[in-house]
């Protein structure tokens, strides 16, 4: 009877048990932070459903998804709980998508063991306990790769159409996804006619329409035809600020400097313009320090663990807390370091050997490198920015392991 148990059910059981064990041992409960990004996501959802306006930093789709219970006159607490439910659901369904893709070459048993590893990525699990968009964003990325995988299995072009549509919609969850959509479009540029002219092209139209609607709304309410101001704000307060501190020879403390205090008092339009001018000025007149600051940001994001785990406290005074706190904190840090280094090395290796590499892995490699290098716009985020490409890393590792065992003599 046990042999007939579906691996999907086993993955769900393991996911639930490990999440409960993880939460219990380090006293990590779902938490809404009033000082972090959580409050900005809740505010954007309330703004959309109460005033029918888009926020200047959190785009339309994530606001609509998070705030869905407001349609039924739900309280803020219900909306927050709904957000946590979405987080854990997307986390698990991301793993199911990985399992489905891995099954194609490894078979269900081997795919199960490899997919199970994702459930033990401490950072990816820990991020679910905060009211954020990462888990939804990561699920959308993996879902788009899943449809590309379906395309290479079937050679049916509408799967590419669906994948690109998902990434365009994902830009309304996190604007950084627009870069991934452009990478996918460029990768399949010679198939553009077949991608655009098929029965699923309506999805592309809907995705593009929503993006344009978002941009028009931002233009009307804040002054600029853009998806979000988050990129300008992030650059100015992190990469730009660190570079400026190098130039002035002063200590960089995120959010605690005169530069940032003056910036926060500006309108959204003024912020965007000031950030643009600052970037142009530093690129021309502070190039070396800007480069140093960028490398600093990449290093900081690649060398730290989960800030969510680090913030756990032994409020219940349990005797085992210190042990598990140390273990999970260390695992999160090691996973970030090893998976980041491994991702970058394998991605470059596959791209350099592009003639021998299956095209889907070239696309995955480009996606990983994009997500890694774009993360240099910010710092002190611990593993938060790198969590997005960890599931894709498993697919690359599967490729390398499969190739290795195929070459081994019997």
């Amino acid at each position: 009877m046990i042999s007939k148990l579906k691996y999907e059910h086993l993955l769900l059981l393991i996911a639930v048990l490990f999440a409960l064990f993880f939460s219990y041992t380090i006293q990590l409960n779902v938490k809404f932070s009033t000082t972090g990004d959580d409050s900005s996501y809740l505010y954007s959802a309330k703004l959309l459903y109460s005033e029918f306006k888009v926020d200047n930093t959190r785009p339309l789709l994530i606001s609509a998804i998070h705030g869905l219970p407001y349609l039924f006159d739900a309280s803020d607490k219900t909306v927050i709980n709904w957000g946590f439910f979405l987080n854990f659901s997307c986390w698990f369904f991301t793993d199911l998508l990985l399992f489905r893709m891995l099954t194609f070459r490894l078979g269900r048993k081997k795919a199960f063991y490899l997919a199970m590893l994702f459930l033990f990525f401490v950072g990816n699990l820990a991020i679910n306990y905060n009211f954020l968009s990462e888990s939804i964003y990561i699920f959308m990325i993996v879902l788009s790769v899943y449809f590309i995988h379906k395309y290479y299995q079937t050679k049916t072009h509408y799967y590419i159409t669906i994948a690109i549509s998902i990434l365009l919609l994902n830009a309304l969850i996190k604007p950084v996804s627009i870069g991934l959509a452009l990478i996918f479009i460029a990768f399949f540029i010679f198939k553009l006619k077949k991608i655009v002219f098929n029965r699923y092209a309506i999805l592309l139209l809907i995705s593009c329409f929503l993006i344009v609607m978002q941009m028009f709304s931002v233009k009307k309410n804040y002054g600029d035809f853009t998806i979000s101001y988050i990129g300008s704000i992030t650059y100015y307060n992190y990469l730009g600020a660190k570079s400026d501190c190098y130039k002035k020879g002063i200590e960089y403390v995120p959010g605690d400097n005169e530069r940032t205090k003056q910036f926060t008092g500006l309108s959204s339009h003024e912020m965007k313009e000031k950030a643009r001018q600052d970037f142009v000025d530093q690129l021309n007149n502070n190039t070396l320090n800007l480069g140093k600051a960028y490398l600093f940001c990449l290093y900081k994001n690649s060398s730290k663990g989960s800030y969510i785990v680090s913030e756990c406290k032994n409020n219940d005074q349990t005797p085992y807390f210190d042990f598990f706190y140390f273990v999970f904190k260390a695992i999160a840090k090691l996973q970030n370091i090893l998976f980041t280094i491994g991702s970058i090395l394998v991605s470059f290796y596959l791209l350099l050997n592009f003639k021998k590499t299956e095209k889907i892995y070239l696309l995955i490699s480009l996606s990983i490198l994009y997500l890694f290098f774009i993360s240099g716009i910010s710092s002190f985020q611990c593993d938060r920015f790198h969590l997005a490409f960890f599931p894709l890393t498993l697919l690359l590792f599967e490729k390398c392991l499969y190739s290795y065992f195929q070459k081994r003599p019997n």
Side-chain angles (χ1 to χ4, degrees):
M1 287 298 136
I2 295 178
S3 62
K4 293 183 180 180
L5 185 65
K6 287 187 175 182
Y7 287 112
E8 290 87 346
H9 296 162
L10 281 174
L11 286 173
L12 177 58
L13 179 62
I14 293 168
V16 171
L17 291 178
F18 182 63
L20 290 174
F21 176 78
F22 178 71
S23 174
Y24 178 77
T25 54
I26 59 173
Q27 300 172 37
L28 176 60
N29 299 311
V30 290
K31 180 180 68 174
F32 180 83
S33 173
T34 56
T35 58
D37 288 344
D38 307 47
S39 57
S40 67
Y41 283 107
L42 182 63
Y43 171 78
S44 69
K46 293 177 72 172
L47 186 67
L48 180 64
Y49 283 92
S50 62
E51 300 182 32
F52 305 105
K53 290 175 60 178
V54 296
D55 185 52
N56 64 335
T57 58
R58 307 304 176 190
L60 174 66
L61 188 56
I62 189 61
S63 302
I65 292 173
H66 273 159
L68 193 60
Y70 282 134
L71 283 177
F72 309 99
D73 296 322
S75 64
D76 290 352
K77 184 177 181 181
T78 300
V79 171
I80 292 169
N81 289 333
W82 164 247
F84 292 136
F85 172 77
L86 286 174
N87 284 347
F88 283 98
S89 298
C90 287
W91 170 68
F92 176 68
F93 283 117
T94 296
D95 193 53
L96 280 188
L97 290 173
L98 288 173
F99 174 67
R100 293 287 177 85
M101 286 186 277
L102 293 168
T103 298
F104 178 68
R105 289 202 305 189
L106 297 181
R108 288 174 62 80
K109 185 175 181 180
K110 292 178 181 177
F112 165 76
Y113 291 121
L114 197 54
M116 188 171 61
L117 285 179
F118 175 74
L119 300 177
F120 296 99
F121 287 179
V122 172
N124 288 86
L125 173 56
I127 203 76
N128 295 325
Y129 291 82
N130 277 35
F131 190 74
L132 300 170
S133 63
E134 266 71 16
S135 295
I136 302 171
Y137 163 68
I138 293 169
F139 169 72
M140 296 282 274
I141 292 175
V142 176
L143 183 60
S144 66
V145 173
Y146 173 77
F147 280 112
I148 295 299
H149 183 264
K150 294 286 288 183
Y151 161 71
Y152 281 112
Q153 284 182 282
T154 64
K155 297 300 179 183
T156 306
H157 288 84
Y158 65 70
Y159 284 124
I160 307 176
T161 305
I162 298 172
I164 294 173
S165 300
I166 290 169
L167 288 176
L168 289 172
L169 288 174
N170 207 20
L172 297 177
I173 292 176
K174 278 187 174 290
V176 69
S177 188
I178 199 70
L180 283 176
L182 293 175
I183 289 173
F184 276 52
I185 292 170
F187 195 84
F188 294 107
I189 192 67
F190 296 112
K191 302 181 186 297
L192 195 57
K193 185 177 180 180
K194 293 182 179 180
I195 294 171
V196 173
F197 295 103
N198 65 66
R199 56 180 171 162
Y200 287 90
I202 186 65
L203 295 177
L204 278 177
L205 291 176
I206 293 172
S207 304
C208 292
F209 172 75
L210 289 174
I211 287 177
V212 172
M213 189 171 74
Q214 165 78 18
M215 296 174 78
F216 269 117
S217 297
V218 172
K219 171 70 175 175
K220 177 183 177 182
N221 293 300
Y222 306 104
D224 294 279
F225 193 66
T226 183
I227 294 177
S228 170
Y229 290 94
I230 192 66
S232 298
I233 295 171
T234 302
Y235 158 76
Y236 193 85
N237 290 328
Y238 290 93
L239 176 58
K242 178 62 178 177
S243 177
D244 187 59
C245 286
Y246 274 140
K247 180 181 179 179
K248 295 176 180 177
I250 58 177
E251 183 184 4
Y252 168 62
V253 181
D256 188 18
N257 55 73
E258 194 61 32
R259 171 190 167 105
T260 299
K261 292 174 183 177
Q262 293 174 357
F263 188 69
T264 54
L266 302 176
S267 68
S268 297
H269 173 71
E270 290 171 334
M271 284 181 177
K272 184 175 179 64
E273 185 59 23
K274 189 171 184 63
R276 185 192 66 80
Q277 292 174 354
D278 182 82
F279 178 71
V280 172
D281 178 65
Q282 295 213 48
L283 192 62
N284 292 326
N285 304 310
N286 195 29
T287 311
L288 182 60
N289 286 325
L290 187 64
K292 285 172 58 180
Y294 178 72
L295 293 176
F296 169 84
C297 291
L298 289 179
Y299 168 74
K300 279 294 182 181
N301 293 337
S302 303
S303 60
K304 303 297 180 180
S306 170
Y307 73 91
I308 294 173
V309 173
S310 298
E311 291 175 350
C312 290
K313 304 294 182 184
N314 190 10
N315 296 320
D316 297 337
Q317 296 299 308
T318 56
Y320 48 78
F321 173 87
D322 290 337
F323 172 76
F324 286 108
Y325 175 75
F326 172 79
V327 168
F328 286 128
K329 189 176 177 181
I331 290 174
K333 183 172 183 175
L334 284 173
Q335 284 175 341
N336 190 22
I337 294 171
L338 294 178
F339 276 90
T340 297
I341 294 173
S343 298
I344 305 310
L345 292 178
V346 173
S347 293
F348 274 121
Y349 172 79
L350 293 177
L351 289 171
L352 290 172
N353 291 274
F354 66 94
K355 291 184 179 179
K356 299 179 181 179
T357 304
E358 296 165 70
K359 290 184 179 179
I360 187 172
Y361 295 105
L362 295 177
L363 183 57
I364 291 172
S365 297
L366 289 171
S367 301
I368 287 174
L369 292 176
Y370 168 75
L371 291 169
F372 171 71
F373 286 115
I374 201 69
S375 72
I377 194 175
S378 183
S379 60
F380 292 97
Q381 299 296 321
C382 295
D383 63 359
R384 184 178 173 184
F385 283 176
H386 292 185
L387 300 178
F389 60 78
F390 286 176
L392 303 183
T393 303
L394 278 181
L395 297 175
L396 289 195
F397 287 179
E398 177 267 333
K399 154 69 179 171
C400 294
L401 289 171
Y402 182 82
S403 299
Y404 172 74
F405 286 112
Q406 285 289 98
K407 293 177 181 178
R408 285 187 63 184
N410 294 328

